[in-house]
Structure formats: C-alpha cells, structure tokens
Amino acid sequence: MMWPDAEAALVAWLAPHLGVRVCTDTPADLADAVPLVRLHRIGGRDDGFRLDHALVDVDAFAATRADAVALATRTRAVLVGSLPGSVVRTPAAVFTAASTVSAPSWRPWENPGVIRIGATYAVRLHAA
C-alpha cells in the first residue's frame, strides 16, 4: 500500500485556507517572512490497509504574540472543522478526520523578534 505524503497534502490544503505561506522547512529569512505556518510529521501509524494516521506538529509564526495566537487559532479551526472530507490533487489524498492532540501554546524560538505558537494534530488520510 502506498500512502500519500501527509506533509505535502496538508501544505497543499492549508495554504489556500489560511492565506499565508505554509511550509515544511523554516525559511532562512523567517523574521521577514512572517506570518507563516510550518508543519512537519512527527509520527503516527497506519491501519495496514488504507488509512494513514499521521501526527503532525503545526507552528504558527508571527511578529507579535497576538498575531501568532490568532493564526494558530485559525489554523486549528480550519484543520478540525473543515479538513475532514477534503480532497487534494497533488499528492492525491482524501482527509477523513482531524483532531487536536495538543492545543496551541507558546513554544520557545531563538529569535525574540518572532513568536511561535505550536500545536499537534492527528490527521487521517488515504490515497484518492
């Protein structure tokens, strides 16, 4: 069984829903690129048949705490509220569920000019 790339599928789906840059790697010019959302898979499992159960860390970066919290809150709302049932073409994937594992909270970042609010989500998906 081949499962779709959960990171690539989430980037493709989230970017138009949030209206900000969504990426898997932190840009070198982060302070100039905010607001943005960075995500990466941290684990998960599969059912051995069809579904991929991905655990994904999602970080909202902004210049102020209020902006970072607002972006993280909006990200959570669209992931949990709108992602299930969605389809992306590249990579071809269907999302079947999304839930919060760890709610958005402040996470340290080495540049004091950038605020990071992170959360962890469980996302289920399968090939389209």
Side-chain angles (χ1 to χ4, degrees):
M1 177 66 190
M2 293 296 295
W3 288 274
D5 180 336
E7 289 180 343
L10 280 170
V11 167
W13 188 85
L14 266 176
H17 285 83
L18 294 177
V20 299
R21 180 177 175 182
V22 179
C23 56
T24 56
D25 295 312
T26 308
D29 64 341
L30 179 62
D32 295 325
V34 297
L36 70 81
V37 169
R38 179 191 67 183
L39 63 88
H40 59 275
R41 184 176 187 151
I42 59 169
R45 62 182 185 84
D46 60 69
D47 67 359
F49 174 66
R50 184 173 187 214
L51 288 176
D52 186 6
H53 300 255
L55 287 176
V56 181
D57 259 354
V58 179
D59 293 311
F61 291 94
T64 68
R65 185 180 182 104
D67 288 345
V69 167
L71 181 55
T73 300
R74 192 165 39 124
T75 301
R76 182 183 189 185
V78 299
L79 277 174
V80 175
S82 301
L83 182 66
S86 298
V87 178
V88 293
R89 291 185 180 191
T90 306
V94 177
F95 294 100
T96 63
S99 61
T100 304
V101 174
S102 177
S105 62
W106 178 83
R107 293 180 179 175
W109 192 251
E110 62 265 10
N111 180 347
V114 175
I115 305 300
R116 174 184 173 204
I117 302 292
T120 304
Y121 300 94
V123 176
R124 285 192 319 224
L125 67 155
H126 63 80

